[in-house]
Every structure is written in structure tokens, then in C-alpha cells.
């Protein structure tokens, strides 16, 4: 599964630099606050990256695309990554990283339906 996880994040990172930037920012925040690390009973770095990606996909002003997953995804084939669209642009102006971070925290604090919504 680690190769599958890496391939998924790599495919989204190729789509737009906001994905690795927001994932890294949330991971840095979580480490600074002591709430990152599966061994300690906290969310893993991968879980935080998925939360960042989910936020990018569902917040109405962002609407990051969902990539199709081919049947060979995660099998070790050379062309294992899901295909990314040739081009994708934000609907409207680009969002700077500080704004995306605020959007992430606002989404999970106010909009995410804890207990009934799954990332």
C-alpha cells in the first residue's frame, strides 16, 4: 500500500503544485502542535495529505478535480500513476498558500461533517 499511496499523491502533485504545498504545510503544523504521528495515536502524514486533497476537492471555490483510477494502479507497472488532465487551472484567480491553509482549517472546523463525512 505505501507504493499506492505515493503514486496517488504524486499524480495529484503533478496536476498542481498546491497539493504538495498544502500537504506539507498541514504536516508542519501538525508536527509543531504534536498531533502528527500514527505511532503516537495521531493522524499519519498520509492522512493529513488526504485531508488537504479532500479540502481542495470539495470546497466550492476550489473544486480541485478527482482523477480516475485505472485498474493497474498500484501494481508496480511503469505507467502506474492515474492520468492527470493535460491542464487544470483554478476556477478564478490562483490561491496563495496562506489562503489555502486558512481554507483548510475553516473547512475542517466549520464545514466538515465529523461523524458522518469520510475523507
Amino acid at each position: 500500500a505505501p507504493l499506492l499511496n505515493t503514486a496517488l499523491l504524486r499524480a495529484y502533485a503533478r496536476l498542481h503544485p498546491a497539493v504538495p504545498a498544502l500537504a506539507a504545510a498541514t504536516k508542519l503544523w501538525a508536527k509543531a502542535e504534536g498531533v502528527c504521528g500514527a505511532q503516537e495515536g495521531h493522524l499519519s502524514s498520509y492522512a493529513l495529505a488526504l485531508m488537504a486533497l479532500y479540502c481542495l476537492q470539495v470546497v466550492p471555490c476550489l473544486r480541485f478535480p478527482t482523477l480516475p483510477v485505472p485498474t493497474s494502479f498500484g501494481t508496480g507497472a511503469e505507467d502506474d500513476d492515474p492520468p492527470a488532465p493535460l491542464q487544470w487551472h483554478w476556477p478564478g484567480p490562483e490561491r496563495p498558500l496562506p489562503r489555502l491553509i486558512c481554507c483548510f482549517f475553516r473547512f475542517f472546523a466549520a464545514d466538515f461533517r465529523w461523524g458522518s463525512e469520510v475523507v
Side-chain angles (χ1 to χ4, degrees):
L3 290 177
L4 180 65
N5 297 354
T6 301
L8 176 68
L9 293 180
R10 187 174 52 241
Y12 277 102
R14 284 195 332 242
L15 187 62
H16 198 279
V19 175
L22 184 57
T26 56
K27 180 181 172 181
L28 287 172
W29 165 81
K31 283 189 173 222
E33 294 299 317
V35 295
C36 181
Q39 289 102 357
E40 293 83 25
H42 302 296
L43 293 173
S44 68
S45 295
Y46 181 68
L48 290 164
L50 289 181
M51 289 173 69
L53 180 57
Y54 184 72
C55 174
L56 290 170
Q57 290 174 324
V58 301
V59 170
C61 69
L62 302 177
R63 289 293 180 208
F64 209 79
T66 302
L67 298 178
V69 180
T71 56
S72 66
F73 187 54
T75 61
E78 191 171 300
D79 58 347
D80 224 11
D81 291 342
L86 294 177
Q87 290 185 332
W88 183 81
H89 301 286
W90 293 110
E94 285 284 323
R95 278 36 173 217
L97 183 58
R99 186 167 174 202
L100 292 176
I101 293 168
C102 289
C103 193
F104 173 87
F105 285 112
R106 183 174 35 253
F107 172 72
F108 283 104
D111 301 327
F112 186 76
R113 294 180 310 265
W114 294 95
S116 63
E117 194 168 357
V118 178
V119 175

